Amino acid sequence: MSLVEINANVFKEAFISGANNISNNKEYINELNVFPVPDGDTGTNMTLTIMSAVSEINALKDITIQSLAKAIAGGSLRGARGNSGVILSQIFRGFCKEVQGCTVLTQEDVANGFAHSMETAYKAVMKPKEGTILTVARAMAETAADLLNEYDDIVEYLEEIVKAGDEALSRTPEMLPVLKEAGVVDSGGQGLIEIIKGMVAGLKGTPISLTEQGATQTLARGAGILSDTPGIRPSYVVGSGSEHISTADIKFTYCTEFIVLLDKPVDDAEVDKIKEFLLSIGDSLVCVADDEVIKIHVHTNHPGQAFEKGLEYGQLTRCKIDNMREEHNERVSMSHEVLAEKPTPKAEPVESEESEEVAEPAEAKKYGFVAVSAGDGLDTIFTEIGVDKIIHGGQTMNPSTDDILSAIKTVNAENIFILPNNKNIIMAANQASEICEDKNILVIPSFSIPQGIAAVLSFSEDMEPEDNKAAMTEAFEDVKTGEVTFAIRDTSVDGKEIHKNNIMGISEKGIDVVGTDVQKVTQDLIDGMVDEDSGLISLYYGEDVTPEEADKLKELLEEKYSDLDVDIRFGGQPIYYYILSVE
């Protein structure tokens, strides 16, 4: 029996099936990334983005095309992580805006939705590039228009659209030489195909379920990796699981999350009472309410009391309790296993003060700062130079649009500067600035930690917001930045043959140096960055470098560049042995 139209319940199940499909394949998609660095990859970012939308639609009580469209657009917008996630959220936003007035979806609605999603995605990118997810989105939109009403069955119609997307994906290596050299197709385009394929499976009555492992499939499937011998991507433990932080520092054991399906709407005063109670039994509170639901996140030693408070207002759903002490211990154990395979031994932990969150000022001020950082030492540096709120993340885990919005809310300032400090976070920061309405948000497009530091140091309290933005942006434009890390797989990039566990020196131009010794690669990277106009070399050493190793490198650089200043500080960042700059 053919499917002529899609009702709301079918659309919901199809969307969840698409989300599950990309989640199951996210590591496969991650492996398609050209640069072999251990980072927050495309598959991960797209999965986190779409799963944010799934959370929103699962919280709906009234399932209509309109309510689903609103939830998908809003959830993906706020949950968007990385450039791939932001572009995906714009694809969803364009589709949902087109169909939000529908009661059911016909072929014409689907065609219009594909067209609008493609247009919205292209507009979201300042310099659209073919051979990417945009190319795949455009191919599917054009095919949807060309084949409109050629099929009686909407499933057959969508299968032809997916074929066109697959064909466009297979051509991406011919459009981007870097993909062809690495032997892969575009990872973002592959992610989009996985979502649509999962949705089609849902429409056919064979929805994709979330697998237990999520992403353990082999990589020799589909258009994906063109090489016959792909490697399996390891999991890297990053972020908050630093082993030198004791579980004794965890004041509240249980991370508790749930949604209250309200019996009746609650006003702001009542929400404040709920917040007051939850803060009396815990911290790290997020409590957001609308007319139908309250979403609650709290760290507490008494999750049952939190649930009881929620039950006073309605039914509970999506209840989740995580023991943070157990998670910490597991993270440390996994970290030891991973580091044992790395090319240099794990250094003794360098003790540094934990950077404390800056409390909201009693009175509003004119200017405030939010910066993305990764590492105890880097957090301290940003705090010392006046940053109000630190978002933990960066290359290893891109913060979402909602993470940035949450940080903005904690800074009581009229004008707030956002320092993404990573090119893959700038789009999410810009998206947050568009959503925030009660404060003037200015995104400083910093690509790296050193650029972010240079920007803050150039700030002047006496200048107007836009003048400050211009001065801060100009300040980091002459700052050359680099990073030293290790390769997680064999590949070839820019004519350089790279093997797993090689040390890589990466500049703004790409992978400049490949070797086997951290100190040697770092020196060679700096040699390529220093010129006659250079006056300062700054290095921030990571958690896998000892103070003795850092001091030795400083001595060598001071001897070689006697006419330059060399500054080296503890950054504490994972994954990257050194983050550095020359200016």
Side-chain angles (χ1 to χ4, degrees):
M1 190 172 90
S2 62
L3 183 66
V4 178
E5 59 187 25
I6 303 171
N7 64 34
N9 286 320
V10 171
F11 182 46
K12 175 187 174 183
E13 294 308 314
F15 186 81
I16 293 173
S17 178
N20 289 344
N21 200 41
I22 189 173
S23 181
N24 292 344
N25 292 286
K26 64 176 178 289
E27 288 300 329
Y28 157 61
I29 296 166
N30 284 343
E31 188 71 14
L32 299 178
N33 280 272
V34 172
F35 290 105
V37 296
D39 59 9
D41 278 334
T42 302
T44 300
N45 285 337
M46 294 180 76
T47 296
L48 290 170
T49 299
I50 195 172
M51 284 304 179
S52 178
V54 169
S55 294
E56 292 292 327
I57 67 175
N58 279 334
L60 293 174
K61 290 168 60 177
D62 183 24
I63 306 298
T64 65
I65 296 294
Q66 184 173 8
S67 67
L68 287 169
K70 182 180 178 181
I72 291 170
S76 62
L77 186 73
R78 291 180 174 273
R81 295 176 187 267
N83 292 343
S84 57
V86 172
I87 294 172
L88 181 63
S89 74
Q90 293 301 308
I91 289 173
F92 290 153
R93 178 172 173 243
F95 187 94
C96 291
K97 186 173 182 180
E98 184 64 35
V99 305
Q100 62 184 357
C102 301
T103 53
V104 294
L105 299 182
T106 64
Q107 280 193 38
E108 185 175 359
D109 297 325
V110 170
N112 291 337
F114 269 107
H116 201 188
S117 67
M118 180 265 293
E119 293 167 1
T120 305
Y122 268 88
K123 288 178 182 178
V125 180
M126 187 172 296
K127 295 180 180 179
K129 184 183 294 185
E130 296 303 329
T132 66
I133 184 175
L134 298 176
T135 300
V136 177
R138 179 166 55 81
M140 290 195 290
E142 290 174 351
T143 303
D146 293 341
L147 298 182
L148 181 60
N149 297 324
E150 291 288 323
Y151 296 88
D152 294 331
D153 188 348
I154 201 168
V155 172
E156 292 182 9
Y157 173 60
L158 284 167
E159 286 177 329
E160 292 301 314
I161 293 172
V162 171
K163 283 183 184 178
D166 254 334
E167 290 172 2
L169 180 67
S170 69
R171 295 193 300 270
T172 55
E174 303 303 320
M175 301 178 193
L176 289 176
V178 68
L179 295 176
K180 188 171 185 178
E181 182 182 5
V184 297
V185 297
D186 178 68
S187 55
Q190 185 71 61
L192 181 59
I193 288 293
E194 297 297 339
I195 292 170
I196 305 302
K197 283 183 177 178
M199 293 183 70
V200 171
L203 294 175
K204 293 171 72 172
T206 55
I208 306 296
S209 298
L210 199 61
T211 62
E212 184 176 352
Q213 297 300 321
T216 57
Q217 296 189 13
T218 60
L219 305 180
R221 60 177 293 278
I225 294 182
L226 307 180
S227 167
D228 293 329
T229 56
I232 300 298
R233 180 184 184 84
S235 298
Y236 289 92
V237 183
V238 295
S240 60
S242 299
E243 63 185 87
H244 60 279
I245 300 175
S246 168
T247 55
D249 295 327
I250 301 176
K251 183 178 180 181
F252 297 103
T253 302
Y254 302 104
C255 175
T256 306
E257 299 178 47
F258 59 97
I259 293 174
V260 183
L261 305 178
L262 292 171
D263 293 333
K264 60 181 180 181
V266 294
D267 57 23
D268 291 343
E270 197 63 36
V271 173
D272 288 340
K273 289 181 182 178
I274 297 172
K275 291 178 180 178
E276 183 178 355
F277 171 79
L278 293 173
L279 286 172
S280 72
I281 63 168
D283 65 5
S284 298
L285 174 65
V286 176
C287 180
V288 182
D290 61 20
D291 291 341
E292 298 178 346
V293 302
I294 303 177
K295 298 176 67 175
I296 291 173
H297 166 282
V298 64
H299 293 176
T300 178
N301 289 327
H302 305 285
Q305 293 183 21
F307 289 148
E308 287 293 337
K309 174 56 69 172
L311 286 169
E312 294 178 14
Y313 297 90
Q315 298 181 48
L316 305 188
T317 185
R318 298 191 64 79
C319 302
K320 181 171 175 283
I321 303 174
D322 290 321
N323 186 317
M324 293 186 290
R325 296 178 190 272
E326 285 186 359
E327 286 189 351
H328 171 86
N329 291 333
E330 289 173 4
R331 200 174 278 137
V332 170
S333 176
M334 290 172 65
S335 179
H336 282 149
E337 294 175 8
V338 170
L339 290 170
E341 298 179 357
K342 291 172 67 171
T344 56
K346 167 74 180 171
E348 288 299 315
V350 180
E351 296 297 331
S352 67
E353 295 182 5
E354 289 288 311
S355 61
E356 298 180 358
E357 293 186 358
V358 179
E360 183 177 338
E363 296 182 2
K365 56 183 181 177
K366 183 176 181 180
Y367 290 114
F369 296 87
V370 172
V372 178
S373 175
D376 299 341
L378 296 175
D379 295 352
T380 300
I381 292 169
F382 276 117
T383 302
E384 287 174 349
I385 62 177
V387 170
D388 300 278
K389 179 67 177 179
I390 303 293
I391 302 175
H392 294 106
Q395 189 70 7
T396 50
M397 177 53 71
N398 303 141
S400 68
T401 299
D402 203 34
D403 291 334
I404 298 171
L405 285 169
S406 297
I408 288 170
K409 290 176 183 178
T410 68
V411 181
N412 194 8
E414 179 184 350
N415 305 283
I416 300 176
F417 294 99
I418 308 296
L419 299 147
N421 299 330
N422 186 295
K423 64 182 179 181
N424 207 33
I425 302 174
I426 293 174
M427 288 186 73
N430 286 331
Q431 197 153 267
S433 71
E434 294 172 5
I435 296 173
C436 185
E437 298 178 348
D438 59 340
K439 298 174 183 177
N440 182 32
I441 308 302
L442 302 99
V443 178
I444 307 299
S446 51
F447 278 27
S448 65
I449 293 290
Q451 286 186 349
I453 292 171
V456 178
L457 292 175
S458 69
F459 167 77
S460 172
E461 188 77 34
D462 299 327
M463 293 172 63
E464 291 302 308
E466 289 299 331
D467 293 334
N468 256 316
K469 179 178 179 179
M472 294 166 72
T473 302
E474 183 179 355
F476 71 67
E477 288 179 346
D478 293 329
V479 177
K480 302 175 186 177
T481 61
E483 300 163 326
V484 179
T485 186
F486 57 97
I488 60 172
R489 61 177 176 268
D490 295 347
T491 188
S492 176
V493 179
D494 295 334
K496 295 181 177 66
E497 186 176 338
I498 301 169
H499 298 287
K500 182 180 178 181
N501 287 338
N502 275 169
I503 306 301
M504 300 180 297
I506 306 170
S507 73
E508 295 159 355
K509 297 178 292 183
I511 300 175
D512 284 358
V513 185
V514 178
T516 57
D517 180 76
V518 172
Q519 303 293 74
K520 178 67 165 57
V521 168
T522 305
Q523 291 180 67
D524 290 347
L525 178 63
I526 291 172
D527 288 344
M529 296 169 65
V530 171
D531 59 29
E532 59 184 12
D533 296 323
S534 302
L536 172 65
I537 301 172
S538 300
L539 298 100
Y540 307 91
Y541 64 93
E543 65 180 10
D544 299 324
V545 177
T546 66
E548 292 76 19
E549 289 170 333
D551 288 340
K552 179 64 175 178
L553 179 60
K554 181 181 181 183
E555 291 174 8
L556 293 172
L557 291 173
E558 287 177 332
E559 181 178 348
K560 185 169 187 176
Y561 298 107
S562 57
D563 56 338
L564 273 64
D565 292 326
V566 179
D567 180 43
I568 191 161
R569 296 188 63 175
F570 171 66
Q573 68 274 3
I575 305 301
Y576 290 87
Y577 301 108
Y578 290 98
I579 295 173
L580 56 94
S581 66
V582 176
E583 53 187 301

